[in-house]
Structure formats: C-alpha cells, structure tokens
Amino acid sequence: MIARSLLLAGVASASIFASSVHAEEAPAPAADPAAQVDQAANPRGDVIIVTARRRAETAQEVPLAISVIRGDSIEATGNFNVVKLQQLAPTLQVYTTNPRNTSVNIRGLGVPFGLTSDGFEQGVGIYVDDVYNSRVAAATFDFLDVNQVEVLRGPQGTLYGKNTTAGAINITTNQPTFDFEGRAELSVGNLNYRQAKAAISGPLSDTVAARLAVAATSRRGTLYNVTSQRWINEQDNLGIRGQLLFRPNDDLDITLSGDYSRQDPECCGTTFVRVGRTQRPLNRQYDALAAAQGYVVPSRNPYDRLTDLDSNLNAGNKIGGVSARIKWDIGPGTLTSVTAWRFWDWKPENDRDFTGLSIVSRSQNPSQQDQYSQEFRYNYESQKIDFVVGLFGFKQRIDTQGTEQQGVNAAQWSLAPSTNPLNPANIPATLAGLTASNTQYLKAESAALFGQLSWKVTDALTLQPGLRLNYDKKSGFYQRVVTNAQGQAISCTPTPAPGTIAGTSQQCGVYQPQVSAPSDSAWNFTYDFNVNYKVARDILAYATYAKSFKTLGINQNGLPLNIDNTVNYDAATVKPEAVHHFEVGLKTQLWDRRATFNISAFRTTIKDFQATVNGGQFGTVRGYLANAEKVRSQGIEADFKVVASDRFTAYANAAYTDAKYKKFTNAPCPPELSGGPSQPSGVPADYSQPGVPGAPSPRQCDISGQDLPGVSKWAFSYGAEYNIPVTLLAKEGQAYLGVDGNYRSHWNSNASPSRYTDVKGYALTNFRAGFRGEGFDIFGWVRNAFDVNYIENLQVAPGNTGLIAGQVGDPRTWGGTLKFSF
C-alpha cells in the first residue's frame, strides 16, 4: 500500500550519478523477480527499480545520476509529454516554439538555444524502449502507455549506443504480458479538453503475447486570433503503439514494436509582449514603423491572449517507426540486439513577422526524415567483474523544401522610410511576391564501439572505467533560388547567370541566391571513470570524471555573409565540442529507509561549444551554427523523498545551476545593440551603453561572462499526497488529496542575453483529489491553480525593429479523470 501511495504521489527522484551509464528498460516491479525480492526485503515498499547496470536493482544502489518518474506519477500530475516533464525534474529545461524548434537541455547544456538546424547532434538523447530518436520533435508527443521515464544527468556514451553530452531521457513503455490485462482512461476539462487512453495486453499462445495501446488528446487553443477569429495553439494528438513478444523459452525474448503518432493543430502562434529600444533611427523602430502603416496590435498585454497573425498556421507532425529487440541469455551474460527504423514528417506554416501585417506572407520548411539504427550489446555478470561491450550504427537522411515570401507591407516595413512617393520603400511591388525557395538535404552516418567495466574491488568499493571510439560523417546540400513576383529567378551578382535577371539592391538585401554543399567527418575517442564506495549500509558516495564530445556539425540552413556580402564558406562546418565533466555526490536512506536524501555537485566545461547565431534580417540567414570558445556549467542538486506512513508521502527536489559563456567573442549581438557601432573585439558587451544611432548594425559581440540562455539559476519541485481509507458506494478504497508544484527563477530567451528577452521567474501549483479502489481511480484536478501569468518563451522578431513576441503559458485548467484497469 505504501508503494502504491508513493507512485501516485509524484516523482520518485533518485539523485545518483553515472556520467556514462545507460538506463535500460526498467520492468514493472510486479513483473520482475528481482524487484519482487527487493520489495519483500524492504517492508516499507519504497522501491524504485532500474536496470542501469543491465540487471534489476534499486535506484539507491546504482551510481547513476537519474530522476526516475513512474507512469502513474506522470498521469496523476498531468505531465503528458517531455515538455511538461520539466515541472517534475528541476534540472531538465525544455523550450519549444513548435515541434521542430524544440530545445531539450539538462543543466543548461544539450542543444543551442534558438532556431534548430539539422546539421548538429542533440546533447540530450531521447530513447523509447532502447531506440534512439534523433529528432527532438519526439518530445512534443503525448506519452503513450508509459511505464517509467528516467532522466539521466551528465555525459552518456560508454554504455549508450548514441553518444550524448548532457544526458538522456529514457522512456520505457509497458511491455506485453502473458496475463490478460487492460486499462482505460478518460479525462475531460475546460478549454474543451478531451483525452482518452486505452491499453490491452495478453497471450496469443503459450509463447506469444501482444499489447496494443492508443491515446488521443484534443484541446481548444489558448490564444485568440482576431484576424481568423479562431483560437490557436490548440492540441490535436493521436497515437497508437503495438507490440508482439515471442518467448520460445526462458532464455530468449523477441519483441517487435510499431508506433505511429500524429499532431495536426493550428499552431504555433505568438502574441505581442513588448518593444525594446534599439539603436536604429527612431523611424526605423517598431512603434514608428507600425504607426506609418496605421497598424495597432489588438493588445499590448500578452495575458489578454490576443493576436492578429495573418499568415496560415500549421504544425502538422507525424512520427513513427518499427523496431525489433532480441534479448538472449547465454550463460553468465546477455546478448541484446536492437534494430529500428523511424520516420518524421514535418509540415509547418508560420507567421515569421509576428504581426498582423503582411511582411513575411509565407514561411514554411517542411521536411521528411528517415533514420536507421542497429545496436548490439553483450553484458557479463559475475561476483567480482561485470562488463558491457557494444556496437552501434546509425544512418539518417533529411530532405527539406523551404519557402519564404515577402508580402505587400514588406517594402514600407523593411526599407528606409522616405516621403517621396516614388521611393522603393513606398512601392509595395518592390518586395511583394519576392520568394526564396530552399532545397536541402542532409546525410549523416555514425558508428561506435563502446564498453564499460565494473570491478568490485571489495564489497564496498567499485571502480567503473568506460571507453568509446566513435566515427561520424555528415554531408549536406543547400540551394536557395530567389524569384520575383512574376516568377523570374533573380541574381545578385553584377553579371546575372543565364536564365536569371538582375535583382534590385532592395531585393538582394532581403534574399540572395546561394548554393553550398558542406561535408565533414571525424573520429573521437572518449572515456570516463567512476568510483563509488558504500560508506555504510544506506550511504553511497561516488565520484566521476568523463571526457566526452559532441560530434562535428555542418551549417545546413545556408551560410552567413561576409562584410562585403559574399558567402562565408569558411562557416560551412562547425568543430566538435570537447567536454570535461566532474561530479561527486552522496546517496542516503534515512529513518529506517522511510526517506531518501541525495545530493550531488557537478562542473562541466565545454571547448568549442556549438551555439546558434541569428542573422537578424528577413530571410538572409535565419540561423546558423558557430563555435563559442568555452562554456561552463556547474551546480548542486538535492532530492528528498519521504514515506511517512501508509497515509502520507512527499518529495522535494532542488537544483542550482550556474551556466555561462566563459569565452564567446564572436557572438550575435542582442537587439538593444541593433543599429549601433560594432563592438571592439575583446571588450565584453555592456548593454547599458548606447551606441551611435544610425550606424551599421554590429555583426558580432563579445558576450563572455554572460549566462547561457534558457537556464534558471534556481529550480524547485515538490509534491505530497495524503489518503484515508473509506468505503464509498459499497467500494472499499482510499480518498486522497495531492499537491505538486514547481518554481523556476528568471532566465533569458535569446541566444545572446538581452534585457528585453528576460523571462521572469514563476511558480505553478497543481491540486488533485479523488477516490481509488481495486481496479479504478476517479479524481478531479486543477493545474496552475492560482492562475499565474507566465511566459514560456520570448522571440526577437526578424528585422531588428525591437519587437519582442512570445508564447504565454497555460492559464488555470481544471477537469476530471476516470481510470479503470483489470
């Protein structure tokens, strides 16, 4: 009963360390003999089972930095995808402007903050049943029949197929069973929220079992578009997963899996948040430009939840695949093979100018991805020596067809104002219909040999060295063709190429034709070393050092221009990151194992950090990769959990993260420096000092010492549940009341920190109350109970006019859930 209360209370979080340990699928305790043994040995029932070292054991015994979140906890707290999961795991940061542009970071590290490029790897790996998902778009889909989510912190490489430098999110789904079982769940709420889930599992024969799960979610949007007279940023999700387990004998399991998920919402729009003062002439800044065209936003208060975007919005998103996992016990070890194919189909439509004016009338970059992966692992176990050795191969292709088009208001908005009616700025046809059509593809291949040894020197002392040899190759192609309103291809060279006409200076200042074919490859050798010592029966101390890497990147969205407007081909490739990671920690169990308290401290330095640089103009280069010389993230994390009695459970997690650019001398400048003089090299940016209005915009700034974007220094989460035994309608069960919440201090939402993109800290509180008994659970819930106004993300509008747009967080939502199981 205690274990059930704990699982429904919230997060079961274990602050344990392993800079390179892969958390394999963790079977449900009831289905795992080892888990049953642990539960029998622990009368408190406070058992969280992981298989991080390829065998079932309690999380508190594993030297692994991981927060373990059970499926029941996820459902009870309403955190239905990875984006929402950050409310339970303080060291996880997830920010999204649409499924493609999603940043998943741990401790402030992972992917560059800003527009996403296909040409780099993610630093936080997302795995579902051992299968690596190369696109972070997977983070935006609903959890489907999830048993457990493990958030691993620190570099993962010597036991992971795909190397990741910041951590991993390992999602384990419920597996087929040879006992017939099923479950169904229905939730309804305000904003026309509807969610239905169902799963059924059972035997098809003595050796074959199957499981099928489906989920569907819909919700009205939270932002009202006065132009289309529709609510936007809605939810419209559907997912299905099927699994077939073949078990001819006790030593061999073959699991075939297939899944398909789709999203088709009218999304993802922004609302006006504020205007920042730039250093451009006043008549080139947002307020003057808007007044010149008689444009007024529907509201300057973002929490009125009004917008007037005039372009079509769509976030069509399909993802799925098939996999085959074979686990064969051979003597003292287990051979595992995981073969997978996955696809991702992305069909977006955006309003890139963030206004109700037709400045950018069309913006979309649909893409199609196929990925193939194969992993072999062999793990050996004995009393003194355990080891894992593996091979991993990965192949990926992404094709993208992009279109961006200028609208009838573009000329007056983007060109220098003039009172002369014959000036190009006053003639809409100067830019209207100007179109950039982009065609690109990426081919990526990687292979790795990896392994880790665990040597039990004594019953208390264990040494764990690990090694990885990795090869990566990337090649891409990018072509931008620019056409005028009549469909004629234009050239921006003094002598137009055959079949093109000479573009005007105004047209070429917005879009320029370009062709590039970046390609590169690299070998990397990395290692880690972990020492853990059992100080006492319930106290484990550990320390680790990891030398890791993030592989090379290529600029796949076009290349930046030099000062003379020629293409900078030197920027085609981006150096690999070199990562040095240190961590120490302590894991304890207290009060006759009624409570756990874990604390860890870490320091990670990265040389040649892969950062996003934004061009700041319409269409020229939306975002490209560059190397920051050095980045450092350090901090302290603590987790506390208590099972006070059968009636009461609680948890609290806290994280302090100090993540900075130690040296970044060629960074993009923040919007407040737009239109000012170039910053002298080596002089840190002082955003309070004005420049000379009307001077050319600086192309680079030194932001050394500034905080990394997207990182709150302080983050907390907590939860508690109290229950009492009751009999209701002749049904015995428990009436319960639960609360959970989280707090994040302020953070910056721009690649180069700006005072205009500072997001204020906020605290969210959720409540739930209900009645559960054997095979059923019915409860009501309210999320963001105090209707806190908060911002999820801020964006600097292209053109450097000072406009800051954003996405506001969900208002108070409420509803009820009914669950049945058998």
Side-chain angles (χ1 to χ4, degrees):
M1 185 177 294
I2 297 177
R4 181 174 175 82
S5 299
L6 172 65
L7 297 181
L8 289 169
V11 171
S13 183
S15 179
I16 43 187
F17 181 84
S19 74
S20 60
V21 177
H22 168 38
E24 214 178 30
E25 70 276 12
D32 193 328
Q36 292 172 349
V37 170
D38 280 333
Q39 286 179 323
N42 185 353
R44 302 298 173 190
D46 183 10
V47 177
I48 301 298
I49 302 299
V50 296
T51 53
R53 295 189 291 185
R54 305 302 188 258
R55 60 185 185 274
E57 54 192 339
T58 64
Q60 287 293 107
E61 295 175 342
V62 183
L64 176 66
I66 177 175
S67 296
V68 184
I69 307 170
R70 300 290 299 185
D72 287 346
S73 301
I74 293 169
E75 293 174 357
T77 54
N79 295 282
F80 50 83
N81 59 25
V82 174
V83 177
K84 299 296 183 182
L85 201 64
Q86 63 182 323
Q87 296 182 11
L88 300 178
T91 56
L92 181 67
Q93 300 101 25
V94 187
Y95 305 107
T96 178
T97 56
N98 60 45
R100 175 183 171 86
N101 292 322
T102 300
S103 301
V104 181
N105 288 344
I106 293 176
R107 296 168 171 172
L109 306 174
V111 295
F113 192 90
L115 292 172
T116 300
S117 169
D118 295 327
F120 65 86
E121 303 288 331
Q122 48 189 90
V124 176
I126 299 177
Y127 292 79
V128 180
D129 291 339
D130 262 5
V131 176
Y132 173 70
N133 286 252
S134 64
R135 296 303 310 179
V136 293
T140 67
F141 280 101
D142 289 355
F143 288 134
L144 181 58
D145 199 23
V146 166
N147 173 56
Q148 185 164 285
V149 177
E150 300 166 3
V151 180
L152 291 81
R153 306 191 285 272
Q156 310 295 322
T158 62
L159 283 178
Y160 257 111
K162 188 67 175 177
N163 179 75
T164 52
T165 56
I169 299 172
N170 191 59
I171 301 170
T172 303
T173 67
N174 292 308
Q175 299 298 297
T177 61
F178 283 93
D179 294 321
F180 190 64
E181 65 177 37
R183 54 174 296 181
E185 176 182 328
L186 178 64
S187 298
V188 296
N190 66 330
L191 305 183
N192 295 326
Y193 175 70
R194 303 288 186 271
Q195 184 177 73
K197 299 180 181 179
I200 190 168
S201 179
L204 301 181
S205 71
D206 291 341
T207 58
V208 179
R211 188 178 191 94
L212 180 67
V214 295
T217 304
S218 64
R219 192 184 75 175
R220 193 206 74 190
T222 56
L223 196 64
Y224 187 73
N225 190 338
V226 299
T227 299
S228 64
Q229 296 184 348
R230 290 174 55 91
W231 289 95
I232 63 172
N233 296 358
E234 60 193 3
Q235 294 175 20
D236 184 3
N237 305 341
L238 175 67
I240 184 170
R241 174 185 297 275
Q243 296 165 293
L244 196 65
L245 170 62
F246 176 53
R247 182 176 292 165
N249 55 59
D250 292 340
D251 296 329
L252 180 63
D253 277 4
I254 302 173
T255 305
L256 304 178
S257 301
D259 68 278
Y260 170 82
S261 297
R262 69 114 178 104
Q263 296 174 327
D264 192 23
E266 187 172 353
C267 188
C268 299
T270 59
T271 186
F272 177 99
V273 176
R274 65 175 66 101
V275 172
R277 179 73 177 271
T278 73
Q279 298 183 42
R280 307 177 90 189
L282 290 179
N283 64 353
R284 299 295 308 279
Q285 300 195 41
Y286 173 83
D287 286 330
L289 292 172
Q293 302 203 40
Y295 173 67
V296 179
V297 295
S299 174
R300 289 203 165 209
N301 179 2
Y303 303 114
D304 287 340
R305 301 180 182 273
L306 297 175
T307 190
D308 61 349
L309 303 178
D310 62 314
S311 298
N312 291 335
L313 296 177
N314 188 23
N317 199 17
K318 298 177 182 178
I319 196 167
V322 294
S323 67
R325 182 173 57 191
I326 303 172
K327 299 187 72 174
W328 184 19
D329 291 336
I330 45 178
T334 301
L335 179 65
T336 303
S337 169
V338 182
T339 307
W341 165 73
R342 297 201 62 75
F343 73 90
W344 179 53
D345 189 3
W346 170 233
K347 295 183 178 179
E349 292 181 282
N350 306 293
D351 193 314
R352 278 281 295 154
D353 56 52
F354 305 150
T355 73
L357 294 172
S358 182
I359 302 168
V360 178
S361 60
R362 190 179 184 192
S363 179
Q364 56 192 46
N365 280 275
S367 63
Q368 307 83 40
Q369 172 193 299
D370 284 285
Q371 70 164 68
Y372 303 85
S373 61
Q374 174 63 59
E375 183 171 349
F376 295 105
R377 293 192 308 266
Y378 177 75
N379 71 295
Y380 170 87
E381 297 181 16
S382 68
Q383 289 188 345
K384 283 291 184 180
I385 298 292
D386 300 340
F387 70 82
V388 177
V389 62
L391 287 169
F392 179 75
F394 178 81
K395 185 174 183 179
Q396 176 186 45
R397 176 167 177 134
I398 304 176
D399 290 277
T400 302
Q401 311 83 34
T403 304
E404 190 163 299
Q405 187 175 75
Q406 296 288 290
V408 295
N409 301 114
Q412 193 170 359
W413 187 272
S414 302
L415 305 180
S418 172
T419 57
N420 182 354
L422 300 180
N423 188 281
N426 296 319
I427 302 174
T430 302
L431 295 181
L434 185 70
T435 304
S437 301
N438 306 325
T439 302
Q440 56 182 292
Y441 68 77
L442 169 73
K443 298 177 182 179
E445 300 174 354
S446 65
L449 171 65
F450 57 91
Q452 187 181 83
L453 173 71
S454 181
W455 175 31
K456 304 177 185 68
V457 181
T458 69
D459 289 343
L461 177 64
T462 302
L463 305 181
Q464 290 184 185
L467 299 173
R468 181 184 185 90
L469 180 64
N470 202 95
Y471 173 76
D472 287 279
K473 180 180 180 180
K474 295 179 185 293
S475 59
F477 174 79
Y478 175 87
Q479 182 179 34
R480 181 196 294 137
V481 175
V482 182
T483 55
N484 60 19
Q486 291 73 44
Q488 299 169 300
I490 69 170
S491 173
C492 292
T493 58
T495 303
T500 65
I501 63 173
T504 67
S505 60
Q506 293 84 8
Q507 292 172 329
C508 292
V510 175
Y511 300 135
Q512 288 195 17
Q514 186 181 126
V515 177
S516 62
S519 179
D520 205 354
S521 63
W523 287 89
N524 294 97
F525 175 73
T526 55
Y527 53 87
D528 55 51
F529 187 74
N530 174 271
V531 180
N532 57 87
Y533 185 77
K534 202 160 189 177
V535 179
R537 174 173 176 262
D538 293 328
I539 302 176
L540 180 69
Y542 51 88
T544 205
Y545 166 72
K547 181 182 183 296
S548 186
F549 76 100
K550 183 195 285 187
T551 192
L552 59 91
I554 62 174
N555 270 308
Q556 189 59 24
N557 293 344
L559 300 178
L561 303 178
N562 295 311
I563 195 71
D564 60 357
N565 281 335
T566 59
V567 178
N568 181 9
Y569 290 102
D570 292 337
T573 60
V574 184
K575 297 177 184 177
E577 294 181 355
V579 182
H580 295 270
H581 176 79
F582 302 86
E583 187 153 353
V584 296
L586 198 67
K587 299 168 54 182
T588 67
Q589 298 185 79
L590 311 169
W591 304 331
D592 193 21
R593 296 189 174 181
R594 290 179 181 271
T596 60
F597 176 71
N598 308 317
I599 188 167
S600 60
F602 66 92
R603 180 182 175 92
T604 305
T605 59
I606 300 179
K607 181 182 178 183
D608 292 325
F609 178 78
Q610 294 173 1
T612 298
V613 177
N614 293 313
Q617 295 179 352
F618 288 108
T620 50
V621 176
R622 292 180 56 188
Y624 64 96
L625 292 176
N627 290 110
E629 291 92 331
K630 188 175 182 180
V631 159
R632 185 261 295 140
S633 177
Q634 62 186 11
I636 298 175
E637 300 162 350
D639 304 321
F640 175 75
K641 179 182 59 186
V642 61
V643 182
S645 69
D646 289 1
R647 309 273 74 87
F648 180 75
T649 60
Y651 70 89
N653 307 321
Y656 170 78
T657 307
D658 178 25
K660 293 184 180 296
Y661 295 110
K662 294 297 290 183
K663 187 178 182 182
F664 195 5
T665 57
N666 62 336
C669 293
E672 48 264 56
L673 292 185
S674 173
S678 296
Q679 180 191 357
S681 176
V683 179
D686 181 354
Y687 301 159
S688 64
Q689 297 299 316
V692 179
S697 293
R699 291 178 177 261
Q700 295 178 346
C701 283
D702 185 342
I703 62 170
S704 303
Q706 297 287 324
D707 291 338
L708 284 180
V711 188
S712 297
K713 282 192 180 295
W714 294 99
F716 305 94
S717 66
Y718 67 90
E721 182 181 289
Y722 180 76
N723 70 77
I724 57 174
V726 298
T727 300
L728 183 63
L729 299 177
K731 295 285 187 179
E732 293 185 356
Q734 297 173 343
Y736 60 92
L737 175 66
V739 60
D740 63 90
N742 69 95
Y743 165 78
R744 291 184 180 272
S745 63
H746 75 96
W747 54 279
N748 212 281
S749 188
N750 195 48
S752 293
S754 164
R755 61 174 174 262
Y756 302 138
T757 55
D758 188 73
V759 178
K760 293 181 179 179
Y762 57 87
L764 303 178
T765 306
N766 312 311
F767 295 101
R768 64 188 179 278
F771 175 70
R772 60 175 172 252
E774 186 65 30
F776 72 92
D777 189 359
I778 181 169
F779 61 96
W781 44 264
V782 57
R783 297 168 190 145
N784 189 9
F786 302 113
D787 204 18
V788 173
N789 288 326
Y790 66 102
I791 296 290
E792 289 189 337
N793 213 337
L794 292 176
Q795 300 178 68
V796 178
N800 290 327
T801 64
L803 172 62
I804 307 297
Q807 293 172 315
V808 295
D810 286 351
R812 180 194 295 120
T813 57
W814 47 266
T817 298
L818 177 63
K819 299 166 63 175
F820 288 100
S821 62
F822 59 88

